[in-house]
């Protein structure tokens, strides 16, 4: 525990000591703002029987910028340590590989959570600023962000895993976005082919966008939360093994 | 302090380290020598727990490097070959981070930070970003990092690699200071360095140990002979023959005249000294001479002899 804290601190600080953290922060605020204003315009122009949070997050716009966050957050995590040789410095002290995996993951989750806080404040101050009736209930804001967090945790774990496979951060980033886009399209399988075939339930269960859609309607379903948390854990274990394997096989 | 038994590392079918066995006692300063690709870094990585041995075992201060890896690693201050550092950190920030992950905290950490920065001459650069440091200072930061948790054993992989002669001297004297209260293992190519600081030398080549002994013993046991340089006034035609006739003289080479003085190299048997006999020969023959200098075998000769490819 004593060694985890400085490791997490170091990872978290590395976002702010390079432009990357600030750029990502600005990027998220900007893109979330674009999604929100598009949603507001949509609601103003046509009568949609959905709440504002739903219309904001239930759009290709949103998924496009959302998925691109993860390679940027995670690509450096292990690839850079391996390339610069600092991995050797870390793993020859008393710290263990899992300390490293865990602290890199936690620091990124914290950073990721921070990215969404300005947006939450924007939604919360909607009524005060526009003096219109608020077009969503607070619970929706909560469930949406809970799902964003859980899905994000899995995507970050996936990114860390991709980064542990190579010492080239660009390749790590490309693999990450590739995996995310793949899982995004797999999530659409039941939308495109319908749900008449045997495996359709499995596709539904793993469809991140369908879970987020439900969450944006205020539905709190624990099964996908549990599933994605387990997937996160599994991916982190895999990452741990990859880091060890890559150093031991050589 | 270190005891390695049949340590072996194979990368696929290529054996980088082959059945290495050696011991290093507490307080020793060991020079770890070998040509490029001999397996020095690989051996060191196994000792520091970065890669596991394919076969064999080793202990650090009694802790097995595989079974009690964490305990073993805690005993070691290690500076890797290329001195990897976090470029975006400041020197003091980096050392603080390293101290913390090595388990230091509070006022103890603060004291140690002050101590190592003083010891390694980092006071004036402590606020600088690491990426702006010169190579000499980077090396010092690496050393300070290796020292911060007061390890019993320092392992330095080519600590003076790529430094200018002034920096090499100052890093060397730093290592010499550090060696007074610790066990040190330094891998290097610079043989004069080893002669100056080490009291034990391990020479490896293509993964195998060629020698492990005190530097002086290695030099004395060397099969190649020493030689004596003799400068006489003018050329003396009979000199080679007469010199050759002396006891223990194997060969006489004539280097020719230069500014009125002629130089002969008299090759003698290992461990013998023919200077007295040569001097009396000169007096007896009435040759004028101005120097009679013995060239002992150096560690470099030992190194070349042991790692020769033929
Ligand atoms: N990760 C690796 N994968 C495959 N082969 C390796 C690996 N690391 C080292 N080797 C090989 O093992 C041998 C020993 O390398 P090592 O780096 O230990 O030598 P060294 O004595 O440190 O050399 P140098 O003086 O150049 O630093 C070399 O032939 C090298 O090519
Ligand atoms: Mg090396």
């Amino acid at each position: 525990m004593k060694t985890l804290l400085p490791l997490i601190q170091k990872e978290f600080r590395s976002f702010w000591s390079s432009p990357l953290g600030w750029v990502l922060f600005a990027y998220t605020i900007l893109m979330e703002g674009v999604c929100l204003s598009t949603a507001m315009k949509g609601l103003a122009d046509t009568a949609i029987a959905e709440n504002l949070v739903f219309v904001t997050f239930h759009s290709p716009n949103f998924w496009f910028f959302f998925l691109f966050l993860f390679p940027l957050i995670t690509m450096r995590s292990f690839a850079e340590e391996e390339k610069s040789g600092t991995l050797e410095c870390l793993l020859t002290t008393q710290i263990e590989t899992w300390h490293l995996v865990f602290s890199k993951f936690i620091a990124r989750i914290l950073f990721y959570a921070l990215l969404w806080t300005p947006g939450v404040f924007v939604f919360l101050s909607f009524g005060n600023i526009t003096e219109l009736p608020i077009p969503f209930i607070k619970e929706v804001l909560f469930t949406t962000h809970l799902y964003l967090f859980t899905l994000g945790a899995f995507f970050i774990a996936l990114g860390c895993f991709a980064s542990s496979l190579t010492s080239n951060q660009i390749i790590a980033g490309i693999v990450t976005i590739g995996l995310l886009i793949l899982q995004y399209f797999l999530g659409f399988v039941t939308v495109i082919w319908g749900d008449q075939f045997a495996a359709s339930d499995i596709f539904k269960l793993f469809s991140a966008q369908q879970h987020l859609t439900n969450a944006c309607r205020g539905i709190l379903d624990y099964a996908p939360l549990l599933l994605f948390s387990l997937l996160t854990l599994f991916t982190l274990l895999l990452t741990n093994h990859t880091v060890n394997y890559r150093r031991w096989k050589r | 302090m270190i005891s390695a038994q049949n340590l072996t590392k194979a990368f696929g079918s290529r054996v980088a380290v082959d059945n290495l066995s050696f011991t290093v006692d507490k307080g020793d300063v060991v020079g770890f020598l070998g040509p490029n690709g001999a397996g020095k870094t690989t051996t060191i990585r196994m000792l520091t727990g970065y890669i596991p041995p394919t076969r064999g075992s080793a202990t650090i201060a009694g802790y097995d490097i595989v079974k009690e890896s964490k305990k073993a690693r805690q005993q070691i201050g290690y500076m890797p070959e290329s001195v990897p550092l976090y470029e975006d950190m400041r020197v003091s920030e980096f050392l603080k981070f390293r101290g913390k992950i090595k388990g230091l905290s509070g006022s103890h950490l603060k004291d140690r930070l002050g101590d190592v920065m003083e010891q390694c001459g980092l006071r004036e650069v402590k606020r600088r970003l690491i990426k702006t440091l010169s190579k000499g200072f980077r090396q010092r930061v690496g050393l300070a990092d290796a020292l911060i948790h007061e390890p019993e054993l320092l392992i330095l992989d080519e600590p003076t690699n790529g430094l200018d002669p002034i920096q090499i001297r100052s890093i060397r004297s730093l290592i010499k200071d550090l060696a007074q209260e610790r066990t040190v293992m330094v891998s290097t190519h610079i043989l004069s360095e080893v002669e100056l600081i080490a009291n034990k030398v391990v020479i490896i080549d293509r993964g195998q140990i060629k020698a492990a002994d005190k530097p002086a013993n290695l030099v004395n046991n060397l099969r190649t002979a020493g030689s004596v340089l003799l400068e006489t006034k003018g050329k003396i035609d009979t000199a080679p023959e007469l010199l050759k006739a002396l006891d223990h003289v194997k060969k006489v080479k004539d280097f020719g005249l230069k500014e009125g003085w002629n130089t002969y190299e008299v090759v003698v048997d290992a461990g013998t000294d023919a200077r007295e006999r040569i001097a009396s020969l000169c007096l007896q023959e009435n040759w004028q001479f101005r120097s009679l200098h013995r060239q002992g075998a150096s560690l470099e000769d030992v190194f070349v002899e042991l790692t020769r490819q033929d």
Side-chain angles (χ1 to χ4, degrees):
Chain A
M1 196 60 225
K2 213 169 139 194
T3 53
L4 277 178
L5 209 61
L7 279 171
I8 295 172
Q9 264 174 5
K10 173 224 144 204
E11 291 295 328
F12 191 72
R13 268 197 212 140
S14 74
F15 277 107
W16 308 110
S17 62
S18 73
L20 182 74
W22 301 98
V23 168
L24 280 176
F25 204 62
Y27 169 73
T28 309
I29 293 175
L30 186 78
M31 293 310 288
E32 206 184 351
V34 168
C35 291
L36 178 63
S37 58
T38 316
M40 282 164 68
K41 185 156 185 336
L43 278 182
D45 291 349
T46 48
I48 305 172
E50 298 283 1
N51 69 64
L52 179 65
V53 177
F54 180 92
V55 185
T56 306
F57 290 109
H58 184 73
S59 69
N61 273 357
F62 168 74
W63 279 91
F64 183 72
F65 105 79
F66 178 61
L67 291 184
F68 269 94
L69 279 178
F70 298 99
L72 294 171
I73 292 177
T74 58
M75 61 194 226
R76 289 202 305 181
S77 53
F78 288 96
E80 192 169 81
E81 301 263 18
E82 190 180 328
K83 179 151 211 163
S84 68
T86 43
L87 195 64
E88 185 173 353
C89 291
L90 288 172
L91 294 176
T92 49
T93 65
Q94 56 171 335
I95 67 175
E96 309 286 352
T97 309
W98 74 264
H99 291 157
L100 209 58
V101 174
F102 183 74
S103 57
K104 279 179 185 295
F105 173 73
I106 292 293
R108 278 166 180 77
I109 273 289
L110 287 176
F111 175 77
Y112 171 75
L114 208 62
L115 291 181
W116 297 108
T117 43
V120 172
F121 282 109
V122 171
F123 276 110
L124 287 178
S125 54
F126 185 89
N128 302 339
I129 294 170
T130 60
E131 296 188 330
L132 292 168
I134 304 171
F136 59 90
I137 51 170
K138 288 233 173 74
E139 283 73 14
V140 167
L141 207 55
F142 171 73
T143 49
T144 304
H145 282 90
L146 182 64
Y147 272 75
L148 278 180
F149 185 79
T150 313
L151 295 176
F154 173 53
F155 294 165
I156 286 174
L158 218 53
C160 288
F161 170 66
S163 187
S164 72
L165 291 173
T166 166
S167 59
N168 182 328
Q169 43 169 313
I170 305 296
I171 293 179
I174 292 172
V175 170
T176 307
I177 196 69
L179 287 174
L180 293 185
I181 288 175
L182 184 70
Q183 84 82 38
Y184 180 66
F185 282 113
L186 285 180
F188 273 132
V189 165
T190 55
V191 178
I192 298 166
W193 280 293
D195 46 12
Q196 300 308 313
F197 62 105
S200 69
D201 282 348
I202 295 181
F203 278 99
K204 268 189 189 158
L205 190 61
F206 284 93
S207 169
Q209 60 267 45
Q210 287 191 17
H211 296 315
L212 191 65
T213 302
N214 291 340
C216 291
R217 292 195 170 116
I219 302 165
L220 184 58
D221 186 358
Y222 289 105
L225 289 182
L226 190 67
L227 174 74
F228 276 85
S229 302
L230 286 177
L231 283 177
T232 308
L233 202 64
F234 175 73
T235 314
L236 289 178
L237 286 176
L238 208 59
T239 311
N240 189 60
H241 279 290
T242 316
V243 174
N244 279 337
Y245 178 75
R246 278 175 62 77
R247 122 176 112 108
W248 287 348
K249 79 156 188 218
R250 289 183 309 146
Chain B
M1 198 69 201
I2 306 176
S3 142
Q5 292 100 29
N6 306 325
L7 214 52
T8 301
K9 180 74 196 179
F11 296 109
S13 62
R14 162 196 251 133
V15 180
V17 174
D18 192 5
N19 264 315
L20 229 55
S21 301
F22 62 92
T23 55
V24 174
D25 297 325
K26 204 173 157 81
D28 272 354
V29 181
V30 183
F32 196 45
L33 300 176
N36 289 119
K40 301 182 295 291
T41 302
T42 308
T43 308
I44 287 175
R45 283 184 167 166
M46 286 192 279
L47 293 176
T48 54
Y50 185 60
I51 53 176
T54 312
R55 267 191 309 285
S57 63
T59 57
I60 306 283
Y63 299 109
D64 189 280
I65 55 164
V66 177
K67 294 190 205 96
E68 300 157 292
S69 173
K70 183 175 169 183
K71 277 275 184 206
R73 278 180 277 149
Q74 280 174 330
Q75 315 300 318
I76 304 174
Y78 172 42
M79 184 165 95
E81 190 165 10
S82 55
V83 199
L85 305 168
Y86 291 111
E87 305 290 325
D88 286 331
M89 285 192 184
R90 295 183 191 280
V91 172
S92 56
E93 180 192 4
F94 174 75
L95 292 175
K96 202 165 164 184
F97 165 67
R98 296 293 296 178
K100 280 183 188 166
I101 63 170
K102 291 176 179 182
L104 307 182
S105 59
S107 62
H108 184 220
L109 174 61
K110 215 166 166 183
D111 291 347
R112 287 302 299 153
L113 275 175
D115 289 353
V116 293
M117 282 203 265
E118 185 69 52
Q119 224 169 355
C120 301
L122 291 168
R123 282 246 171 273
E124 76 241 51
V125 295
K126 68 185 223 188
R127 299 282 313 143
R128 291 257 295 273
L129 281 174
I130 288 177
K131 64 179 161 203
T132 68
L133 294 180
S134 71
K135 199 150 184 180
F137 274 119
R138 292 178 65 96
Q139 224 83 4
R140 284 158 191 271
V141 175
L143 268 177
D145 166 25
L147 286 171
I148 194 151
H149 58 302
E150 294 177 282
E152 294 267 320
L153 170 66
L154 265 186
I155 298 186
L156 312 172
D157 200 351
E158 298 190 23
T160 54
N161 195 4
L163 299 182
D164 69 45
I166 311 290
Q167 289 294 335
I168 289 183
R169 273 187 195 207
S170 75
I171 294 279
R172 188 195 295 149
S173 75
L174 185 56
I175 294 172
K176 217 168 172 176
D177 285 347
L178 298 175
Q180 293 187 339
E181 53 217 56
R182 313 187 167 68
T183 313
V184 181
M185 179 168 176
V186 208
S187 102
T188 178
H189 298 294
I190 303 173
L191 293 146
S192 56
E193 190 164 292
V194 177
E195 279 176 316
L196 285 173
I197 60 176
N199 59 15
K200 181 172 178 178
V201 180
V202 176
I203 298 180
I204 68 168
D205 183 30
R206 277 159 287 171
Q208 290 171 330
I209 288 214
K210 295 288 172 177
D213 207 341
K214 290 195 169 69
N217 290 354
L218 286 177
V219 172
N220 288 341
N221 294 343
L222 191 62
R223 272 178 291 129
T224 54
S227 65
V228 177
L229 282 185
L230 169 70
E231 274 184 292
T232 58
K233 187 154 197 174
K235 200 165 181 71
I236 300 158
D237 294 328
T238 53
E241 257 171 69
L242 289 171
L243 284 168
K244 187 89 199 292
L246 293 174
D247 283 350
H248 294 300
V249 171
K250 282 161 58 174
K251 208 163 41 176
V252 178
K253 282 187 218 158
D254 187 347
F255 287 125
L257 267 177
K258 206 174 174 190
E259 291 163 10
W261 293 87
N262 199 61
T263 308
Y264 300 96
E265 187 189 10
V266 184
V267 182
V268 298
D269 284 332
T272 62
D273 188 348
R275 278 176 296 184
E276 238 182 281
R277 268 166 283 138
I278 296 173
S280 29
L281 178 70
C282 291
L283 294 177
Q284 185 193 319
E285 300 290 324
N286 229 342
W287 301 336
Q288 272 193 54
F289 69 103
R290 70 170 180 189
S291 81
L292 188 56
H293 170 68
R294 175 161 196 248
Q295 292 181 307
S298 67
L299 202 53
E300 188 166 333
D301 300 321
V302 177
F303 183 81
V304 171
E305 170 79 12
L306 290 177
T307 61
R308 236 181 3 212
Q309 295 289 327
D310 49 65

